[in-house]
Each structure stands twice: as structure tokens, then as C-alpha cells.
Short mmCIF file of all heavy atoms in Angstrom, two decimals:
data_model
loop_
_atom_site.label_atom_id
_atom_site.label_comp_id
_atom_site.label_asym_id
_atom_site.label_seq_id
_atom_site.Cartn_x
_atom_site.Cartn_y
_atom_site.Cartn_z
N MET A 154 -12.31 -32.35 7.67
CA MET A 154 -10.94 -32.02 7.40
C MET A 154 -10.57 -32.32 5.96
O MET A 154 -9.75 -31.62 5.39
CB MET A 154 -10.05 -32.79 8.42
CG MET A 154 -8.58 -32.47 8.35
SD MET A 154 -8.36 -30.78 8.87
CE MET A 154 -6.60 -30.70 8.93
N ALA A 155 -11.12 -33.36 5.42
CA ALA A 155 -10.85 -33.77 4.09
C ALA A 155 -11.31 -32.67 3.10
O ALA A 155 -10.65 -32.43 2.06
CB ALA A 155 -11.51 -35.08 3.73
N LYS A 156 -12.41 -32.00 3.42
CA LYS A 156 -12.91 -30.91 2.54
C LYS A 156 -11.88 -29.80 2.48
O LYS A 156 -11.65 -29.17 1.43
CB LYS A 156 -14.26 -30.45 2.98
CG LYS A 156 -15.37 -31.38 2.71
CD LYS A 156 -16.69 -30.75 3.15
CE LYS A 156 -17.85 -31.69 2.89
NZ LYS A 156 -19.11 -31.13 3.27
N ILE A 157 -11.31 -29.45 3.59
CA ILE A 157 -10.27 -28.39 3.65
C ILE A 157 -9.05 -28.71 2.82
O ILE A 157 -8.56 -27.93 2.07
CB ILE A 157 -9.91 -28.03 5.09
CG1 ILE A 157 -11.13 -27.48 5.84
CG2 ILE A 157 -8.76 -27.07 5.16
CD1 ILE A 157 -10.93 -27.29 7.32
N VAL A 158 -8.57 -29.97 3.01
CA VAL A 158 -7.39 -30.39 2.25
C VAL A 158 -7.69 -30.42 0.76
O VAL A 158 -6.84 -29.95 -0.05
CB VAL A 158 -6.93 -31.78 2.75
CG1 VAL A 158 -5.87 -32.37 1.83
CG2 VAL A 158 -6.45 -31.70 4.18
N ASN A 159 -8.89 -30.88 0.39
CA ASN A 159 -9.29 -30.92 -1.02
C ASN A 159 -9.39 -29.47 -1.57
O ASN A 159 -8.92 -29.22 -2.70
CB ASN A 159 -10.64 -31.61 -1.17
CG ASN A 159 -11.04 -31.78 -2.57
OD1 ASN A 159 -10.20 -32.04 -3.49
ND2 ASN A 159 -12.32 -31.64 -2.88
N TYR A 160 -9.91 -28.56 -0.82
CA TYR A 160 -10.02 -27.14 -1.23
C TYR A 160 -8.63 -26.58 -1.46
O TYR A 160 -8.37 -25.92 -2.50
CB TYR A 160 -10.78 -26.36 -0.19
CG TYR A 160 -10.83 -24.88 -0.49
CD1 TYR A 160 -11.67 -24.37 -1.48
CD2 TYR A 160 -9.95 -24.00 0.14
CE1 TYR A 160 -11.69 -23.01 -1.76
CE2 TYR A 160 -9.95 -22.65 -0.14
CZ TYR A 160 -10.81 -22.14 -1.09
OH TYR A 160 -10.78 -20.81 -1.38
N ILE A 161 -7.70 -26.78 -0.56
CA ILE A 161 -6.36 -26.26 -0.69
C ILE A 161 -5.68 -26.85 -1.89
O ILE A 161 -5.05 -26.14 -2.70
CB ILE A 161 -5.57 -26.47 0.63
CG1 ILE A 161 -6.18 -25.61 1.72
CG2 ILE A 161 -4.13 -26.16 0.41
CD1 ILE A 161 -5.60 -25.82 3.09
N SER A 162 -5.80 -28.14 -2.08
CA SER A 162 -5.11 -28.79 -3.26
C SER A 162 -5.72 -28.29 -4.51
O SER A 162 -4.98 -28.02 -5.52
CB SER A 162 -5.17 -30.27 -3.15
OG SER A 162 -6.51 -30.74 -3.28
N GLU A 163 -7.02 -28.10 -4.62
CA GLU A 163 -7.64 -27.60 -5.81
C GLU A 163 -7.23 -26.13 -6.04
O GLU A 163 -7.10 -25.72 -7.20
CB GLU A 163 -9.18 -27.69 -5.72
CG GLU A 163 -9.67 -29.11 -5.91
CD GLU A 163 -11.17 -29.21 -5.80
OE1 GLU A 163 -11.84 -28.17 -5.63
OE2 GLU A 163 -11.70 -30.34 -5.88
N ALA A 164 -7.13 -25.36 -4.97
CA ALA A 164 -6.68 -23.97 -5.13
C ALA A 164 -5.29 -23.85 -5.70
O ALA A 164 -5.00 -23.06 -6.58
CB ALA A 164 -6.75 -23.24 -3.80
N PHE A 165 -4.37 -24.70 -5.24
CA PHE A 165 -3.00 -24.72 -5.72
C PHE A 165 -2.98 -25.17 -7.17
O PHE A 165 -2.27 -24.64 -8.02
CB PHE A 165 -2.10 -25.60 -4.88
CG PHE A 165 -1.50 -24.88 -3.73
CD1 PHE A 165 -1.92 -25.25 -2.45
CD2 PHE A 165 -0.61 -23.86 -3.89
CE1 PHE A 165 -1.41 -24.55 -1.35
CE2 PHE A 165 -0.08 -23.21 -2.77
CZ PHE A 165 -0.48 -23.56 -1.52
N GLU A 166 -3.81 -26.16 -7.53
CA GLU A 166 -3.89 -26.63 -8.93
C GLU A 166 -4.38 -25.51 -9.84
O GLU A 166 -3.88 -25.33 -10.95
CB GLU A 166 -4.77 -27.85 -9.02
CG GLU A 166 -4.86 -28.46 -10.40
CD GLU A 166 -3.50 -28.94 -10.91
OE1 GLU A 166 -2.68 -29.43 -10.08
OE2 GLU A 166 -3.25 -28.80 -12.12
N GLU A 167 -5.36 -24.74 -9.34
CA GLU A 167 -5.89 -23.60 -10.10
C GLU A 167 -4.80 -22.60 -10.36
O GLU A 167 -4.68 -22.04 -11.42
CB GLU A 167 -7.06 -23.01 -9.30
CG GLU A 167 -7.72 -21.83 -9.97
CD GLU A 167 -8.85 -22.22 -10.92
OE1 GLU A 167 -9.30 -23.40 -10.84
OE2 GLU A 167 -9.24 -21.35 -11.73
N LEU A 168 -4.04 -22.30 -9.29
CA LEU A 168 -2.93 -21.31 -9.45
C LEU A 168 -1.92 -21.78 -10.41
O LEU A 168 -1.28 -20.98 -11.16
CB LEU A 168 -2.28 -21.01 -8.09
CG LEU A 168 -3.18 -20.24 -7.11
CD1 LEU A 168 -2.51 -20.26 -5.74
CD2 LEU A 168 -3.36 -18.82 -7.60
N LYS A 169 -1.58 -23.06 -10.46
CA LYS A 169 -0.56 -23.59 -11.36
C LYS A 169 -1.03 -23.64 -12.81
O LYS A 169 -0.27 -23.33 -13.74
CB LYS A 169 -0.14 -25.00 -10.92
CG LYS A 169 0.76 -24.99 -9.70
CD LYS A 169 1.43 -26.34 -9.49
CE LYS A 169 0.41 -27.44 -9.29
NZ LYS A 169 0.99 -28.70 -8.88
N SER A 170 -2.30 -23.99 -13.01
CA SER A 170 -2.75 -24.26 -14.40
C SER A 170 -3.55 -23.15 -15.04
O SER A 170 -3.51 -22.99 -16.26
CB SER A 170 -3.52 -25.57 -14.47
OG SER A 170 -4.71 -25.48 -13.64
N ASN A 171 -4.31 -22.33 -14.29
CA ASN A 171 -5.23 -21.41 -14.89
C ASN A 171 -4.87 -19.94 -14.70
O ASN A 171 -5.53 -19.10 -15.31
CB ASN A 171 -6.64 -21.62 -14.38
CG ASN A 171 -7.17 -22.97 -14.78
OD1 ASN A 171 -6.74 -23.56 -15.72
ND2 ASN A 171 -8.13 -23.49 -13.98
N VAL A 172 -3.84 -19.67 -13.96
CA VAL A 172 -3.47 -18.26 -13.73
C VAL A 172 -2.32 -17.89 -14.62
O VAL A 172 -1.33 -18.67 -14.78
CB VAL A 172 -3.07 -18.04 -12.22
CG1 VAL A 172 -2.53 -16.66 -12.01
CG2 VAL A 172 -4.23 -18.31 -11.31
N THR A 173 -2.41 -16.75 -15.26
CA THR A 173 -1.32 -16.23 -16.09
C THR A 173 -0.49 -15.34 -15.28
O THR A 173 -0.90 -14.20 -14.85
CB THR A 173 -1.89 -15.44 -17.34
OG1 THR A 173 -2.77 -16.30 -18.04
CG2 THR A 173 -0.78 -14.99 -18.22
N TRP A 174 0.75 -15.78 -14.97
CA TRP A 174 1.65 -15.01 -14.14
C TRP A 174 2.49 -14.06 -14.97
O TRP A 174 2.84 -14.42 -16.09
CB TRP A 174 2.55 -15.94 -13.38
CG TRP A 174 1.82 -16.84 -12.42
CD1 TRP A 174 1.44 -18.10 -12.64
CD2 TRP A 174 1.30 -16.45 -11.15
NE1 TRP A 174 0.73 -18.58 -11.56
CE2 TRP A 174 0.65 -17.61 -10.61
CE3 TRP A 174 1.28 -15.26 -10.39
CZ2 TRP A 174 0.01 -17.59 -9.41
CZ3 TRP A 174 0.69 -15.33 -9.15
CH2 TRP A 174 0.04 -16.46 -8.64
N PRO A 175 2.77 -12.85 -14.49
CA PRO A 175 3.58 -11.90 -15.27
C PRO A 175 5.05 -12.37 -15.33
O PRO A 175 5.48 -13.13 -14.48
CB PRO A 175 3.43 -10.57 -14.51
CG PRO A 175 3.07 -10.98 -13.14
CD PRO A 175 2.29 -12.27 -13.22
N GLU A 176 5.73 -11.77 -16.30
CA GLU A 176 7.19 -12.09 -16.38
C GLU A 176 7.90 -11.41 -15.23
O GLU A 176 7.46 -10.44 -14.67
CB GLU A 176 7.73 -11.54 -17.75
CG GLU A 176 7.11 -12.26 -18.94
CD GLU A 176 7.50 -13.70 -19.01
OE1 GLU A 176 8.66 -14.08 -18.66
OE2 GLU A 176 6.62 -14.51 -19.38
N TRP A 177 9.09 -11.96 -14.92
CA TRP A 177 9.88 -11.45 -13.77
C TRP A 177 10.25 -9.99 -13.97
O TRP A 177 10.24 -9.18 -13.03
CB TRP A 177 11.07 -12.31 -13.54
CG TRP A 177 11.91 -11.91 -12.35
CD1 TRP A 177 13.17 -11.47 -12.41
CD2 TRP A 177 11.48 -11.86 -10.98
NE1 TRP A 177 13.61 -11.15 -11.14
CE2 TRP A 177 12.57 -11.39 -10.25
CE3 TRP A 177 10.29 -12.17 -10.35
CZ2 TRP A 177 12.53 -11.21 -8.87
CZ3 TRP A 177 10.26 -12.04 -8.97
CH2 TRP A 177 11.36 -11.55 -8.24
N ALA A 178 10.62 -9.61 -15.19
CA ALA A 178 11.02 -8.23 -15.44
C ALA A 178 9.84 -7.26 -15.22
O ALA A 178 10.02 -6.17 -14.69
CB ALA A 178 11.51 -8.10 -16.87
N GLU A 179 8.66 -7.71 -15.58
CA GLU A 179 7.47 -6.84 -15.39
C GLU A 179 7.18 -6.72 -13.87
O GLU A 179 6.85 -5.64 -13.37
CB GLU A 179 6.26 -7.47 -16.06
CG GLU A 179 5.01 -6.64 -15.99
CD GLU A 179 3.84 -7.30 -16.68
OE1 GLU A 179 3.93 -8.43 -17.10
OE2 GLU A 179 2.77 -6.60 -16.73
N VAL A 180 7.32 -7.81 -13.15
CA VAL A 180 7.13 -7.76 -11.70
C VAL A 180 8.09 -6.79 -11.03
O VAL A 180 7.71 -5.96 -10.14
CB VAL A 180 7.27 -9.19 -11.06
CG1 VAL A 180 7.30 -9.11 -9.56
CG2 VAL A 180 6.18 -10.09 -11.55
N GLN A 181 9.37 -6.83 -11.45
CA GLN A 181 10.40 -5.93 -10.90
C GLN A 181 10.07 -4.48 -11.22
O GLN A 181 10.14 -3.63 -10.32
CB GLN A 181 11.74 -6.29 -11.43
CG GLN A 181 12.27 -7.57 -10.89
CD GLN A 181 13.65 -7.96 -11.52
OE1 GLN A 181 13.84 -7.67 -12.71
NE2 GLN A 181 14.51 -8.51 -10.71
N SER A 182 9.69 -4.21 -12.42
CA SER A 182 9.41 -2.79 -12.80
C SER A 182 8.17 -2.24 -12.05
O SER A 182 8.14 -1.15 -11.59
CB SER A 182 9.24 -2.61 -14.30
OG SER A 182 8.12 -3.31 -14.76
N LEU A 183 7.16 -3.08 -11.95
CA LEU A 183 5.93 -2.64 -11.22
C LEU A 183 6.21 -2.49 -9.75
O LEU A 183 5.65 -1.62 -9.08
CB LEU A 183 4.80 -3.66 -11.47
CG LEU A 183 4.26 -3.67 -12.90
CD1 LEU A 183 3.18 -4.76 -13.07
CD2 LEU A 183 3.70 -2.31 -13.29
N THR A 184 7.07 -3.35 -9.20
CA THR A 184 7.45 -3.18 -7.76
C THR A 184 8.18 -1.87 -7.54
O THR A 184 7.90 -1.21 -6.55
CB THR A 184 8.32 -4.37 -7.33
OG1 THR A 184 7.61 -5.58 -7.56
CG2 THR A 184 8.70 -4.26 -5.89
N ILE A 185 9.05 -1.49 -8.46
CA ILE A 185 9.74 -0.23 -8.32
C ILE A 185 8.76 0.93 -8.40
O ILE A 185 8.80 1.93 -7.65
CB ILE A 185 10.85 -0.13 -9.37
CG1 ILE A 185 11.95 -1.12 -9.04
CG2 ILE A 185 11.38 1.30 -9.48
CD1 ILE A 185 12.98 -1.27 -10.13
N ILE A 186 7.82 0.83 -9.31
CA ILE A 186 6.80 1.94 -9.46
C ILE A 186 6.00 2.04 -8.19
O ILE A 186 5.75 3.16 -7.67
CB ILE A 186 5.87 1.67 -10.69
CG1 ILE A 186 6.70 1.84 -11.97
CG2 ILE A 186 4.68 2.56 -10.67
CD1 ILE A 186 5.99 1.37 -13.21
N VAL A 187 5.59 0.90 -7.61
CA VAL A 187 4.76 0.97 -6.36
C VAL A 187 5.57 1.55 -5.21
O VAL A 187 5.10 2.35 -4.43
CB VAL A 187 4.28 -0.47 -6.01
CG1 VAL A 187 3.70 -0.53 -4.58
CG2 VAL A 187 3.22 -0.90 -7.01
N ALA A 188 6.89 1.17 -5.15
CA ALA A 188 7.74 1.67 -4.10
C ALA A 188 7.89 3.21 -4.20
O ALA A 188 7.84 3.95 -3.20
CB ALA A 188 9.08 1.01 -4.12
N VAL A 189 8.09 3.71 -5.42
CA VAL A 189 8.31 5.14 -5.62
C VAL A 189 7.05 5.91 -5.29
O VAL A 189 7.08 6.91 -4.55
CB VAL A 189 8.74 5.43 -7.09
CG1 VAL A 189 8.59 6.89 -7.46
CG2 VAL A 189 10.13 4.90 -7.35
N PHE A 190 5.89 5.43 -5.75
CA PHE A 190 4.65 6.10 -5.38
C PHE A 190 4.31 5.98 -3.91
O PHE A 190 3.72 6.91 -3.31
CB PHE A 190 3.48 5.58 -6.24
CG PHE A 190 3.45 6.28 -7.59
CD1 PHE A 190 3.90 5.62 -8.71
CD2 PHE A 190 2.94 7.55 -7.75
CE1 PHE A 190 3.89 6.18 -9.96
CE2 PHE A 190 2.92 8.16 -8.94
CZ PHE A 190 3.39 7.49 -10.09
N SER A 191 4.70 4.95 -3.27
CA SER A 191 4.51 4.80 -1.84
C SER A 191 5.33 5.86 -1.07
O SER A 191 4.82 6.51 -0.13
CB SER A 191 4.91 3.44 -1.33
OG SER A 191 4.02 2.47 -1.87
N VAL A 192 6.58 6.06 -1.51
CA VAL A 192 7.42 7.08 -0.85
C VAL A 192 6.84 8.47 -1.14
O VAL A 192 6.76 9.31 -0.22
CB VAL A 192 8.88 6.97 -1.37
CG1 VAL A 192 9.71 8.15 -0.94
CG2 VAL A 192 9.52 5.67 -0.87
N LEU A 193 6.42 8.72 -2.36
CA LEU A 193 5.87 10.03 -2.71
C LEU A 193 4.57 10.32 -1.88
O LEU A 193 4.36 11.40 -1.36
CB LEU A 193 5.58 10.16 -4.21
CG LEU A 193 6.76 10.21 -5.10
CD1 LEU A 193 6.34 10.14 -6.57
CD2 LEU A 193 7.60 11.44 -4.80
N PHE A 194 3.74 9.31 -1.74
CA PHE A 194 2.53 9.48 -0.96
C PHE A 194 2.82 9.71 0.52
O PHE A 194 2.14 10.50 1.15
CB PHE A 194 1.60 8.25 -1.13
CG PHE A 194 0.24 8.42 -0.49
CD1 PHE A 194 -0.68 9.20 -1.00
CD2 PHE A 194 0.00 7.72 0.70
CE1 PHE A 194 -1.94 9.35 -0.40
CE2 PHE A 194 -1.22 7.85 1.30
CZ PHE A 194 -2.22 8.70 0.79
N ALA A 195 3.82 9.01 1.01
CA ALA A 195 4.25 9.20 2.41
C ALA A 195 4.76 10.63 2.63
O ALA A 195 4.42 11.26 3.63
CB ALA A 195 5.28 8.16 2.83
N LEU A 196 5.52 11.10 1.69
CA LEU A 196 6.05 12.47 1.80
C LEU A 196 4.94 13.51 1.71
O LEU A 196 4.94 14.49 2.47
CB LEU A 196 7.12 12.74 0.73
CG LEU A 196 8.44 12.00 0.94
CD1 LEU A 196 9.29 12.21 -0.28
CD2 LEU A 196 9.18 12.50 2.19
N ALA A 197 3.98 13.24 0.84
CA ALA A 197 2.84 14.17 0.70
C ALA A 197 2.02 14.17 2.04
O ALA A 197 1.61 15.23 2.49
CB ALA A 197 1.96 13.81 -0.47
N THR A 198 1.78 13.00 2.56
CA THR A 198 1.02 12.91 3.83
C THR A 198 1.78 13.61 4.98
O THR A 198 1.17 14.33 5.75
CB THR A 198 0.82 11.45 4.20
OG1 THR A 198 0.14 10.80 3.09
CG2 THR A 198 0.00 11.28 5.47
N TRP A 199 3.11 13.42 5.00
CA TRP A 199 3.92 14.10 6.02
C TRP A 199 3.82 15.61 5.84
O TRP A 199 3.69 16.34 6.81
CB TRP A 199 5.38 13.62 5.92
CG TRP A 199 6.27 14.41 6.81
CD1 TRP A 199 6.47 14.31 8.12
CD2 TRP A 199 7.16 15.49 6.38
NE1 TRP A 199 7.39 15.23 8.56
CE2 TRP A 199 7.83 15.94 7.51
CE3 TRP A 199 7.41 16.05 5.10
CZ2 TRP A 199 8.77 16.95 7.46
CZ3 TRP A 199 8.36 17.06 5.06
CH2 TRP A 199 8.98 17.52 6.22
N GLY A 200 3.86 16.08 4.60
CA GLY A 200 3.80 17.49 4.32
C GLY A 200 2.47 18.14 4.76
O GLY A 200 2.47 19.20 5.37
N VAL A 201 1.39 17.47 4.47
CA VAL A 201 0.06 17.91 4.89
C VAL A 201 -0.07 17.95 6.39
O VAL A 201 -0.56 18.88 7.00
CB VAL A 201 -1.03 17.11 4.24
CG1 VAL A 201 -2.42 17.39 4.83
CG2 VAL A 201 -1.07 17.29 2.70
N ASP A 202 0.48 16.89 7.06
CA ASP A 202 0.47 16.79 8.48
C ASP A 202 1.26 17.96 9.14
O ASP A 202 0.80 18.61 10.05
CB ASP A 202 1.04 15.49 8.97
CG ASP A 202 1.07 15.33 10.45
OD1 ASP A 202 -0.03 15.50 11.05
OD2 ASP A 202 2.14 15.10 11.01
N GLU A 203 2.47 18.25 8.59
CA GLU A 203 3.23 19.33 9.09
C GLU A 203 2.53 20.69 8.89
O GLU A 203 2.57 21.56 9.78
CB GLU A 203 4.62 19.36 8.41
CG GLU A 203 5.58 18.30 8.88
CD GLU A 203 5.97 18.45 10.33
OE1 GLU A 203 6.25 19.62 10.78
OE2 GLU A 203 5.97 17.47 11.02
N PHE A 204 1.93 20.86 7.73
CA PHE A 204 1.19 22.12 7.44
C PHE A 204 0.06 22.35 8.45
O PHE A 204 -0.03 23.42 9.04
CB PHE A 204 0.65 22.09 6.02
CG PHE A 204 -0.27 23.24 5.71
CD1 PHE A 204 0.24 24.51 5.48
CD2 PHE A 204 -1.64 23.02 5.73
CE1 PHE A 204 -0.63 25.58 5.25
CE2 PHE A 204 -2.49 24.08 5.44
CZ PHE A 204 -1.97 25.37 5.22
N PHE A 205 -0.75 21.33 8.68
CA PHE A 205 -1.86 21.45 9.61
C PHE A 205 -1.36 21.59 11.05
O PHE A 205 -1.96 22.33 11.85
CB PHE A 205 -2.83 20.31 9.50
CG PHE A 205 -3.76 20.45 8.36
CD1 PHE A 205 -3.68 19.63 7.25
CD2 PHE A 205 -4.77 21.47 8.37
CE1 PHE A 205 -4.54 19.79 6.17
CE2 PHE A 205 -5.60 21.63 7.30
CZ PHE A 205 -5.53 20.78 6.18
N ALA A 206 -0.25 20.97 11.42
CA ALA A 206 0.30 21.13 12.76
C ALA A 206 0.73 22.57 12.95
O ALA A 206 0.46 23.14 14.05
CB ALA A 206 1.49 20.17 12.95
N LYS A 207 1.42 23.15 11.99
CA LYS A 207 1.88 24.55 12.14
C LYS A 207 0.68 25.50 12.12
O LYS A 207 0.63 26.44 12.89
CB LYS A 207 2.83 24.92 11.00
CG LYS A 207 4.11 24.12 10.89
CD LYS A 207 5.04 24.53 11.99
CE LYS A 207 6.33 23.72 11.80
NZ LYS A 207 7.19 23.78 12.94
N ALA A 208 -0.34 25.18 11.28
CA ALA A 208 -1.54 26.03 11.23
C ALA A 208 -2.26 26.03 12.57
O ALA A 208 -2.70 27.08 13.10
CB ALA A 208 -2.41 25.62 10.11
N LEU A 209 -2.43 24.84 13.12
CA LEU A 209 -3.13 24.75 14.41
C LEU A 209 -2.34 25.39 15.55
O LEU A 209 -2.88 26.02 16.46
CB LEU A 209 -3.44 23.30 14.77
CG LEU A 209 -4.58 22.66 13.95
CD1 LEU A 209 -4.69 21.20 14.25
CD2 LEU A 209 -5.93 23.33 14.26
N GLU A 210 -1.03 25.19 15.48
CA GLU A 210 -0.14 25.79 16.52
C GLU A 210 -0.27 27.33 16.44
O GLU A 210 -0.44 28.01 17.43
CB GLU A 210 1.31 25.37 16.31
CG GLU A 210 2.22 25.97 17.31
CD GLU A 210 3.66 25.53 17.07
OE1 GLU A 210 3.89 24.67 16.20
OE2 GLU A 210 4.55 26.08 17.75
N GLY A 211 -0.24 27.89 15.21
CA GLY A 211 -0.41 29.35 15.06
C GLY A 211 -1.76 29.78 15.53
O GLY A 211 -1.90 30.85 16.14
N PHE A 212 -2.83 29.05 15.19
CA PHE A 212 -4.17 29.42 15.61
C PHE A 212 -4.33 29.44 17.15
O PHE A 212 -4.87 30.38 17.69
CB PHE A 212 -5.17 28.42 15.01
CG PHE A 212 -6.60 28.62 15.48
CD1 PHE A 212 -7.33 29.74 14.98
CD2 PHE A 212 -7.21 27.79 16.33
CE1 PHE A 212 -8.59 29.93 15.39
CE2 PHE A 212 -8.51 27.97 16.77
CZ PHE A 212 -9.21 29.04 16.24
N PHE A 213 -3.78 28.42 17.79
CA PHE A 213 -3.92 28.37 19.27
C PHE A 213 -3.04 29.43 19.93
O PHE A 213 -3.42 29.96 20.98
CB PHE A 213 -3.63 26.99 19.82
CG PHE A 213 -4.74 26.01 19.54
CD1 PHE A 213 -4.56 24.92 18.79
CD2 PHE A 213 -6.01 26.28 20.02
CE1 PHE A 213 -5.62 24.00 18.50
CE2 PHE A 213 -7.09 25.42 19.80
CZ PHE A 213 -6.85 24.25 19.02
N ASN A 214 -1.89 29.73 19.33
CA ASN A 214 -1.08 30.82 19.85
C ASN A 214 -1.79 32.18 19.65
O ASN A 214 -1.70 33.04 20.51
CB ASN A 214 0.28 30.84 19.21
CG ASN A 214 1.21 29.76 19.68
OD1 ASN A 214 1.02 29.22 20.77
ND2 ASN A 214 2.19 29.36 18.87
N TRP A 215 -2.49 32.29 18.58
CA TRP A 215 -3.29 33.53 18.33
C TRP A 215 -4.39 33.68 19.36
O TRP A 215 -4.69 34.77 19.79
CB TRP A 215 -3.78 33.50 16.90
CG TRP A 215 -4.70 34.64 16.56
CD1 TRP A 215 -4.36 35.94 16.29
CD2 TRP A 215 -6.13 34.59 16.40
NE1 TRP A 215 -5.43 36.66 16.03
CE2 TRP A 215 -6.59 35.88 16.08
CE3 TRP A 215 -7.05 33.56 16.53
CZ2 TRP A 215 -7.87 36.19 15.83
CZ3 TRP A 215 -8.37 33.85 16.28
CH2 TRP A 215 -8.81 35.14 15.95
N LEU A 216 -5.01 32.55 19.72
CA LEU A 216 -6.10 32.58 20.73
C LEU A 216 -5.56 32.94 22.06
O LEU A 216 -6.26 33.60 22.84
CB LEU A 216 -6.78 31.24 20.79
CG LEU A 216 -7.79 30.88 19.66
CD1 LEU A 216 -8.36 29.46 19.87
CD2 LEU A 216 -8.90 31.88 19.57
N LYS A 217 -4.36 32.51 22.43
CA LYS A 217 -3.78 32.82 23.71
C LYS A 217 -3.47 34.32 23.86
O LYS A 217 -3.54 34.84 24.95
CB LYS A 217 -2.50 32.03 23.92
CG LYS A 217 -2.65 30.64 24.35
CD LYS A 217 -1.27 30.06 24.69
CE LYS A 217 -1.24 28.59 24.50
NZ LYS A 217 0.08 28.03 24.83
N ALA A 218 -3.11 34.97 22.73
CA ALA A 218 -2.68 36.36 22.79
C ALA A 218 -3.76 37.33 23.08
O ALA A 218 -4.86 37.19 23.30
CB ALA A 218 -1.99 36.72 21.49
#
């Protein structure tokens, strides 16, 4: 158990002293960019899904006829 506690305390010390954290303004702007691209990717995925759903529906209706 002591090894785990030592590992965790050393990991936190590493994060405090050796990691260069970005400025808050940079974090906010990058978060907005990620959110926008996530929405765009979701809309593109939805569009492709709708396209293939309509195409398959048309294909199976054509087979029934």
C-alpha cells in the first residue's frame, strides 16, 4: 500500500513542478474549437446516416416492386 501512496504523491509532484500548463484563455479558446468541431462532426455523421437510411429504404422498396 505504501508503494501506491508513494506513486500517487510523486505523480502529483510531477504535475505541479514539471508540467507546463496552458493559460486559461488558451484553454477556453481550444475548448470552444473542440466543441464546434464536435457539433460539426455530429451533424456530418447524422447527414451520412440519413442519406444511407433513405438510400436503403429506396433500394428495398425497389426490390418489393
Side-chain angles (χ1 to χ4, degrees):
M154 186 67 172
K156 288 183 179 182
I157 295 173
V158 171
N159 186 36
Y160 173 78
I161 292 172
S162 67
E163 286 180 1
F165 275 111
E166 184 60 36
E167 181 88 15
L168 288 171
K169 287 193 298 188
S170 61
N171 295 337
V172 174
T173 304
W174 297 99
E176 296 295 322
W177 183 244
E179 184 181 9
V180 171
Q181 288 176 325
S182 65
L183 291 175
T184 301
I185 291 170
I186 290 171
V187 168
V189 167
F190 277 101
S191 295
V192 169
L193 291 175
F194 185 73
L196 289 172
T198 303
W199 172 78
V201 169
D202 180 55
E203 285 294 316
F204 171 77
F205 279 111
K207 299 286 184 194
L209 286 173
E210 182 181 352
F212 175 73
F213 286 119
N214 285 337
W215 176 73
L216 284 178
K217 282 187 205 178

